[in-house]
């Protein structure tokens, strides 16, 4: 079935955007509750909702089987219509593209993984365009009617200028100044949103995940890179110059090693999975080890391998303490592929965190979140949904 | 002249609070401009402003000499009436109380300094009560009519539970769990707001200072303590558990020294003025030196004294880099009494900052702000004004 044609959201005012955001992230929600939470009058809420219902983005009809008998009308909380739009999100890693199609609530419809043979920007953009086109074909050929495609989100590690869709500096990809939105936009005529990957994951946690009810939270990712997304004072922290949450590049490690970013003393020089592997190889003399092998050795109790994870846990714990001492989040979610081996980091991480967390800042809950790569791609889709709801100008020409 | 009796602000809705905040911080400002910046309708702005004008908190009358001749009514931007309320703010240090009385715009009316002989909590509270009563007398006896006193702000270094008015942990004062609002409230029946001192200064910079037009900024204080106030995403960062901005307690220094907070590796173990003095005494063998003497030695080019400031500058530079890498502020104001000797920190501070700031995060402007102790007391007054405008429940019984 074809994609339905695209329609803009009928949102003329900040109040309308606020109302739709509440329905999207906190729905089903009654009008009176939106009024209470936003401070808007009930009349203003009703006025903002009416065109959204009329155009099919929002509904107050009872779901099947939810019809109520009794006196008067049933209470009809508002929900968005998931199928009213479609979204594509792609996480770009040095070795693969992981893409998803989602509905308006970031619910995943389809998943696609493609390998990358090279991190050369031109080659990646070509593969990315093919990848996205294949996802669009999936949307068109689905059994259910897919809503109009509102945009493509690209999530990528590093310093990303989201306003211009440019990857300024991604040590992991080896990219500097790659205008992803421009290059991809020449091949695919759909609005494009390019984001730092951890920040995209944070948007997804805030709008559709464990962060929906938290006043502030941090998503800390451990694994090949150490990253951090922050949600503070009602918004994901983006940084005035596009950089924030660079937990992996706090100068908390000894200065003897040079980071992939070129600086000395970065957390990642000790705590990234590459750093752990390198250290384990050096100390055991087993240059043939891969990461899985290093993890296995540590689990077997090999002291050299354990020590490499201990060092990583210590530096990550110090970085977490630095972060909570500065911004004091309610909740810290530890995520990233390293979570699978969290038992190897945990003891030193918690001890060092407790040693350096200042006063009540240490009261924040530390929880684990096992995100799959699909969740990261969903984060990219969430950035598109946010941009669409807010009426931000698309990055496509 | 007596203080006029207290009246609550006629603000029933979030929109009303938003409108008054704009007038207070950005006035003189026309109604149409408030509507544009807030997204409210002009009718909503006019509706919110009417009771504020009627009760004398806001005016749209042209200032003296501003009357315009010509066709139609003159444009009448809105301003608050400064004399419509009075405020008291007090900064508490281990050796003195610095208090100010201000008007509604945090404009200082009077200043009072009292020495403290002891940091014993009971003794300080007694002195504080006398200090505040003296300031109230000043308000009553002023030549101009003072507006009703809306509250007393107390600013103090350390981990402060502002919601309950309790100083949880102030290493500088040697206080733990001191219920300042409750103890002072028994002596003076006026609403009391207790805040971390750096956060209070940040509120003042945001509402009435250099931060009014910045989307995000940090105030970093150097001197006897190293502190940091953050303004991000439209609000001063307070921390979910009341702790934030503890730049002096990031674990960035070698672990050989124990901090006043009891932890190892804190920035303050190297960078506080006490740490600099101790280091200079140790290295020069001149145990008689005081801070002024150490500063003089360094200015004379004494290598040991210079090295103590160099180490401090390095650690502060690393802490600044950690902070901008995490939150990416537009502007960093360096303040605190150490600013008077900034030349002694500057070279190493800037070099270390540049070495560790990640990508575009390093683009933030570093500026110096020479706050007096009176400015800190004014910060305490600003917290009262903010609390009053927002209709937060007073901490007085």
């Amino acid at each position: 079935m074809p994609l339905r044609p695209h329609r803009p959201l009928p949102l003329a005012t900040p109040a309308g955007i606020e109302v739709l955001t509440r329905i999207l992230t906190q729905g089903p929600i009654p009008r009176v509750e939106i009024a209470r939470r936003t401070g808007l009058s009930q009349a203003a809420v009703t006025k903002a909702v009416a065109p959204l219902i009329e155009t099919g983005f929002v509904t107050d009809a009872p779901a099947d089987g939810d019809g109520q008998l009794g006196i008067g009308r049933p209470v009809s909380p508002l929900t968005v219509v998931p199928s009213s739009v479609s979204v594509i999100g792609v996480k770009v890693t040095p070795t693969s593209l992981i893409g998803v199609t989602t509905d308006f609530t970031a619910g995943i419809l389809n998943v696609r993984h493609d390998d990358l043979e090279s991190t050369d920007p031109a080659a990646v953009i070509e593969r990315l365009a093919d990848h996205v086109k294949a996802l669009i074909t999936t949307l068109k050929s689905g059994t259910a009617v897919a809503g109009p495609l509102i945009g493509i989100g690209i999530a990528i590690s590093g310093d990303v200028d989201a306003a211009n869709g440019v990857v300024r500096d991604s040590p992991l990809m080896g990219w500097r100044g790659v205008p992803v939105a421009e290059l991809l936009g020449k091949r695919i005529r759909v609005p494009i949103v390019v984001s730092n990957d951890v920040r995209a994951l944070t948007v997804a946690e805030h709008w559709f995940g464990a962060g929906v009810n938290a006043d502030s939270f941090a998503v800390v990712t451990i694994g090949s890179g150490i990253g951090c997304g922050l949600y503070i004072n009602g918004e994901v922290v983006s940084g005035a110059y596009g950089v924030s949450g660079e937990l992996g590049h706090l100068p908390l490690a000894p200065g003897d090693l040079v980071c992939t970013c070129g600086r000395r003393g970065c957390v990642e020089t000790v705590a990234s999975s590459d750093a752990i592997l390198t250290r384990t190889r050096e100390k055991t003399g087993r240059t043939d080890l891969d990461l899985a092998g290093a993890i296995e050795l540590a689990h077997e109790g090999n002291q050299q391998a354990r020590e490499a994870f201990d060092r990583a846990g210590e530096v990550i714990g110090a970085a977490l303490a630095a972060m909570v001492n500065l911004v004091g989040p309610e909740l810290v979610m530890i995520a990233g592929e390293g979570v699978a081996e969290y038992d190897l980091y945990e003891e030193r991480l918690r001890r060092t965190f407790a040693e350096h967390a200042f006063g009540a800042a240490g009261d924040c809950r530390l929880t684990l979140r096992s995100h799959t790569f699909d969740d990261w791609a969903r984060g990219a889709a969430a950035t598109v949904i946010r941009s669409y709801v807010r009426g931000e100008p698309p990055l496509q020409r």
Side-chain angles (χ1 to χ4, degrees), chain A:
Chain A
M1 262 188 235
L3 281 166
R4 279 185 276 123
H6 177 73
R7 299 158 304 163
L9 280 168
L11 294 173
T13 63
I17 293 170
E18 176 72 20
V19 167
L20 177 55
T21 304
R22 299 278 175 168
I23 299 170
L24 192 56
T25 61
Q26 294 164 14
I29 183 170
R31 288 173 177 80
V32 59
E33 186 59 23
I34 297 175
R36 199 185 63 76
R37 293 187 198 173
T38 58
L40 292 166
S41 68
Q42 278 217 59
V45 173
T46 296
K47 191 176 162 193
V49 166
L52 290 166
I53 293 180
E54 195 177 319
T55 49
F57 289 103
V58 165
T59 181
D60 58 359
D64 288 351
D66 254 15
Q68 290 175 31
L69 298 173
I71 299 163
R73 294 189 307 167
V75 175
S76 322
L78 297 158
T79 59
V80 295
V81 177
S83 64
S84 59
V85 311
S86 298
V87 191
I88 287 176
V90 184
K91 154 92 168 165
V92 179
T93 82
T95 56
S96 63
L97 302 173
I98 300 101
V100 295
T101 58
T102 83
D103 62 24
F104 200 4
T105 64
I108 293 180
L109 304 174
N110 291 98
V111 177
R112 183 183 176 90
H113 291 205
D114 281 314
D115 288 341
L116 285 179
E117 294 76 34
S118 148
T119 55
D120 172 67
V124 173
I125 296 291
E126 279 305 324
R127 297 280 287 153
L128 188 53
D130 292 343
H131 181 82
V132 168
K133 283 174 188 163
L135 285 167
I136 293 174
T137 305
T138 313
L139 275 177
K140 286 181 181 166
S141 61
T143 48
V145 177
L149 179 63
I150 56 170
I152 299 164
I154 308 292
I156 197 158
S157 158
D159 174 1
V160 176
D161 173 1
N164 296 300
V166 174
V167 174
R168 277 192 293 231
D169 185 11
S170 174
L172 206 63
M173 295 298 292
W175 287 10
R176 273 186 176 264
V178 178
V180 173
E182 184 186 335
L183 296 171
L184 190 62
K186 283 182 183 154
R187 289 159 177 84
I188 298 172
R189 300 273 159 188
V190 175
I192 293 166
V193 178
V194 186
S195 309
N196 168 278
D197 54 354
V198 182
R199 213 171 298 155
L201 195 63
T202 308
V203 171
E205 288 290 358
H206 167 42
W207 279 48
F208 307 107
V212 165
N213 295 310
D215 282 337
S216 59
F217 67 88
V219 178
V220 171
T221 60
I222 62 176
S224 57
I226 313 292
C228 177
L230 295 168
Y231 172 81
I232 301 171
N233 290 337
E235 190 52 82
V236 174
V237 176
S238 58
Y241 306 96
V243 174
S244 68
E246 292 293 349
L247 200 76
H249 302 282
L250 302 193
L252 287 163
D256 52 340
L257 295 173
V258 176
C259 186
T260 50
C261 74
R263 296 174 188 82
R264 286 180 180 276
C266 291
V267 166
E268 288 189 3
T269 62
V270 168
S272 74
S273 43
D274 268 2
I276 293 170
L277 175 58
T278 302
R279 177 90 176 177
T280 308
R281 284 176 174 168
E282 281 174 13
K283 293 291 170 181
T284 59
R286 292 190 43 187
T287 52
D288 61 314
L289 276 180
D290 61 3
L291 184 62
I295 291 166
E296 202 183 322
L297 267 191
H299 275 142
E300 288 167 358
N302 177 291
Q303 284 309 306
Q304 286 88 6
R306 295 224 42 140
E307 189 258 0
F309 278 96
D310 282 349
R311 274 166 49 99
E314 272 176 23
V315 172
I316 294 170
L320 284 177
M323 185 268 289
V324 305
N325 290 358
L326 276 177
V327 301
E330 179 181 330
L331 168 69
V332 176
M333 304 176 212
I334 301 178
E337 69 275 17
V339 163
E341 292 80 50
Y342 185 67
D343 59 305
L344 294 174
Y345 301 88
E346 184 169 16
E347 188 200 334
R348 294 296 181 95
L349 187 155
R350 288 200 177 263
R351 192 198 299 173
T352 317
F353 175 76
E355 278 171 13
H356 296 298
F358 186 81
D363 292 349
C364 68
R365 281 176 292 142
L366 296 184
T367 65
L368 294 189
R369 290 276 287 167
S370 296
H371 293 108
T372 64
F373 271 125
D374 299 352
D375 291 322
W376 289 77
R378 180 170 172 266
T383 64
V384 174
I385 296 167
R386 186 179 66 164
S387 177
Y388 179 64
V389 166
R390 294 185 176 173
E392 290 163 0
L395 282 178
Q396 176 236 27
R397 49 222 69 224

